[in-house]
Amino acid sequence: MKTNPASWSRGRLIAVIAAGLVLLLLIGVGVYGLIAGPQRPTDPPRDPSPTVTVPGTTGPSSPGPPRVAPSDDPDEFARNVARALFGWDTGSGLMPLDYTAAILEVGDPSGTEQAGLASDTASYLPSREAWLELRKYATTQHLTIESSFVPEAWGQAVEQAQPGQLPAGATAITIEGTRHREGVWNGEPVTVEQAVSFTVFLACPPPAPRFPSGFCHVLRLSQLDNPLR
């Protein structure tokens, strides 16, 4: 039986985009070191299976690397970080390291957590090789946030932390949403959607000589789909 070339090509595109999502789940090993030992969620993990739609409706994409809007509100800032973390465009001429840099710009000003944050952020982005493959299909990604909240486990973590172990104004915001990844084949959009959850560890210290702006900054990120609950 003959195979339709267009159907085979479209199937390959879906496989590449979906495989990229699965790869991120497998290599998403960013861990947070603010307190001794990661806090595992007590709830069962959400279904990681992506939903594929052909054709799909392309979502918003950024013409350049994302910029995290400053804020002194923990929830608003965590949402800004989340959108920047998941918002990228392989056709922008940029590489994953450029998007990592955008998150590091709002990282810990003291530099204490910068190396860990860089590792955490890299685990959310495609590898260079995957990026170049996704670029062939003009792949873009964005995040729709459905909920954000301070997890109950954070209170337990604060109680267990030693004096001075957590920076001033430290908190955690768990984000739940849907990741939308779009690609194009012969002018026809293909969309892959997947539920995701993660925790942004941040600090919103009061204005002081060390932190004159008073804005929040990122400390670490949890492992993808392994947030605090």
Side-chain angles (χ1 to χ4, degrees):
M1 183 176 70
K2 295 184 178 181
T3 302
N4 187 311
S7 299
W8 182 89
S9 299
R10 183 184 304 167
R12 183 187 178 199
L13 170 59
I14 297 172
V16 169
I17 298 177
L21 290 172
V22 174
L23 177 62
L24 285 179
L25 291 177
L26 293 177
I27 67 175
V29 293
V31 295
Y32 37 96
L34 299 178
I35 57 178
Q39 302 295 312
R40 293 185 175 277
T42 56
D43 294 343
R46 304 173 77 188
D47 184 3
S49 301
T51 300
V52 181
T53 302
V54 182
T57 302
T58 57
S61 61
S62 173
R67 289 292 180 264
V68 181
S71 176
D72 58 4
D73 178 81
D75 188 83
E76 179 181 357
F77 182 71
R79 284 172 170 257
N80 293 344
V81 169
R83 294 189 186 96
L85 182 64
F86 282 85
W88 48 255
D89 182 351
T90 59
S92 64
L94 301 171
M95 297 300 292
L97 284 178
D98 297 307
Y99 290 89
T100 297
I103 302 299
L104 295 180
E105 286 181 1
V106 292
D108 179 11
S110 72
T112 303
E113 299 290 348
Q114 284 292 76
L117 179 60
S119 177
D120 296 345
T121 304
S123 72
Y124 279 74
L125 293 165
S127 66
R128 178 184 176 85
E129 293 73 19
W131 185 271
L132 294 176
E133 184 67 19
L134 291 170
R135 180 181 287 176
K136 297 176 183 178
Y137 306 102
T139 308
T140 64
Q141 179 177 279
H142 70 279
L143 178 70
T144 299
I145 298 176
E146 294 158 6
S147 65
S148 57
F149 54 91
V150 178
E152 293 184 5
W154 175 249
Q156 301 172 8
V158 172
E159 292 177 358
Q160 296 171 4
Q162 298 297 318
Q165 190 172 7
L166 297 176
T171 188
I173 302 293
T174 291
I175 303 286
E176 296 178 338
T178 301
R179 172 172 53 190
H180 307 267
R181 185 173 289 188
E182 295 94 10
V184 177
W185 178 259
N186 287 337
E188 185 176 8
V190 177
T191 300
V192 178
E193 298 180 349
Q194 184 172 20
V196 295
S197 59
F198 56 98
T199 299
V200 180
F201 297 89
L202 58 138
C204 301
R210 189 177 179 187
F211 307 110
S213 69
F215 290 134
C216 303
H217 54 264
V218 188
L219 297 172
R220 299 294 298 270
L221 303 169
S222 77
Q223 185 181 32
L224 182 61
D225 290 329
N226 188 22
L228 290 185
R229 296 292 189 185

